[in-house]
Amino acid sequence: MLLVGAGCSQESLQSTTEMELLHAESSALGSVSPDSIQRFATKVETYASQNPASQADPLWPEIIENIKSAAHGANITFHITINTAWNGEIEYNF
């Protein structure tokens, strides 16, 4: 369990089973075909759009990094757009 301090209080953040499964799948992306990497990135994007809180999950940065690393190894390019006019929301496009 990861404890994160927020102001004077502490808040407990715990990964959901779905995020743990996505993380496990993302960890194996280095050994799959480029089209599988792209399908997985779409799967993550869809999950994040349906579950916006998933981006606050402690595993989220690792999942994104695993996708980026696998994509780089397969010579796949994708774009991440951060528009600060969206009140801090972040949009990932794969």
Side-chain angles (χ1 to χ4, degrees):
M1 182 175 356
L2 176 67
L3 295 177
V4 177
C8 295
S9 65
Q10 288 189 337
E11 181 179 326
S12 174
L13 293 178
Q14 196 168 21
S15 295
T16 64
T17 301
E18 183 64 28
M19 288 299 287
E20 290 171 355
L21 292 172
L22 289 172
H23 182 263
E25 191 173 348
S26 75
S27 296
L29 289 176
S31 62
V32 300
S33 64
D35 63 321
S36 293
I37 296 167
Q38 291 175 325
R39 280 194 306 274
F40 179 75
T42 300
K43 177 180 175 179
V44 170
E45 180 181 26
T46 300
Y47 180 78
S49 69
Q50 294 172 350
N51 302 282
S54 65
Q55 295 178 36
D57 188 286
L59 293 176
W60 178 259
E62 291 180 34
I63 293 168
I64 297 304
E65 189 55 42
N66 289 342
I67 293 170
K68 287 198 275 188
S69 177
H72 178 71
N75 292 318
I76 298 171
T77 58
F78 59 93
H79 303 277
I80 299 175
T81 304
I82 301 174
N83 184 340
T84 57
W86 295 339
N87 296 324
E89 292 180 25
I90 299 174
E91 179 179 327
Y92 297 91
N93 295 302
F94 299 99

